[in-house]
Amino acid sequence: MYHSVGDPSDDPYRITVTPARLDAQLGWLRRRGLRGVSVADLLAARARGAARGLIALTFDDGYADFTEHALPCLRRWGCGATLFVLPGRLGGDNAWDPLGPRKPLLDADGIRRAAAEGVEIGSHGLTHVDLTAADDATLAAETAGSRARLTELTGTAVTGFCYPYGTVDARAVEAVRAAGYGYACAIDPGPLTGPYALPRVHVGQRDTAVRMLLKTRLHRLRRRPVAGV
């Protein structure tokens, strides 16, 4: 789970990695026989029994620096990825973060450029709100509404969703499922872990080779699938 790729010097949330760090991390994966792919590609490979050596790479929020810095790294190492964007904030910024600098978000053309490079485009909701605290109308707009707008923008059906802030409950899961998504990503959903609440590992600027190794091993312990979720 990545977010911004750029200058991490003023980053109270520790969500930014430098292009050099991302490049080193992707190289670390490839040297160990792992290749980054989109979540959709990983799930499809798992269904075929062919997921060995694949690892899903996700980038949340749809920062404008994705096309400038992340895409060249992904291309260099032959990796795919899923980019979760906010169609209600096209060309805006990370106004939901009370601290730190304003980071610009991709506009419609930037999202289309990423899609043209083979990046899977998924929804991160409409405007980045906590779905567990949303009323019914907001929940519908953030799930079904965002999917409709992204499908129109990209010309391709959107199958992936990512819960803002990683917060998820059974009501949010059901809303995402009812909106027609094929899967959804969380962070550490606990007993909700399943195709609509996939656990992910945060990767940041401080993650060198040793920390990457520990995170890949510890992630296996967090996979606790629950039937029917």
Side-chain angles (χ1 to χ4, degrees):
M1 177 180 64
Y2 289 97
H3 289 78
S4 175
V5 183
D7 180 4
S9 58
D10 184 8
D11 181 15
Y13 302 102
R14 296 179 180 173
I15 62 168
T16 307
V17 298
T18 62
R21 179 69 80 194
L22 175 62
D23 190 75
Q25 290 167 344
L26 296 182
W28 183 91
L29 291 173
R30 292 311 304 264
R31 287 190 295 275
R32 280 150 185 81
L34 299 171
R35 180 169 64 87
V37 297
S38 69
V39 180
D41 283 348
L42 177 61
L43 294 177
R46 285 188 65 186
R48 301 191 306 269
R52 184 178 179 84
L54 301 181
I55 183 168
L57 301 177
T58 61
F59 292 80
D60 291 8
D61 301 333
Y63 291 106
D65 55 35
F66 179 84
T67 53
E68 181 180 0
H69 298 309
L71 269 180
C73 292
L74 292 168
R75 192 183 305 118
R76 182 178 304 117
W77 292 104
C79 290
T82 298
L83 176 66
F84 291 113
V85 301
L86 299 155
R89 293 187 183 274
L90 297 177
D93 60 31
N94 58 328
W96 61 89
D97 284 334
L99 303 176
R102 295 303 94 196
K103 286 178 172 284
L105 305 176
L106 289 168
D107 59 14
D109 287 341
I111 291 172
R112 293 190 190 101
R113 177 187 167 191
E117 293 271 357
V119 174
E120 180 193 14
I121 304 299
S123 171
H124 199 28
L126 196 61
T127 59
H128 205 288
V129 301
D130 181 349
L131 298 189
T132 65
D135 59 32
D136 290 345
T138 301
L139 185 59
E142 294 287 332
T143 55
S146 64
R147 182 170 187 256
R149 289 177 65 169
L150 277 181
T151 297
E152 181 179 5
L153 188 156
T154 63
T156 303
V158 174
T159 61
F161 187 86
C162 176
Y163 299 98
Y165 306 105
T167 55
V168 57
D169 58 15
R171 177 170 166 265
V173 166
E174 183 51 39
V176 169
R177 191 198 325 252
Y181 294 95
Y183 73 84
C185 289
I187 299 175
D188 190 8
L192 287 175
T193 294
Y196 286 94
L198 298 169
R200 294 180 297 165
V201 174
H202 167 73
V203 181
Q205 180 66 14
R206 297 190 300 173
D207 289 323
T208 55
V210 173
R211 287 171 60 95
M212 290 283 286
L213 180 61
L214 289 173
K215 286 189 172 185
T216 55
R217 291 183 175 178
L218 288 174
H219 181 61
R220 299 188 185 101
L221 302 178
R222 304 168 70 215
R223 293 170 56 189
R224 302 180 295 273
V226 178
V229 176

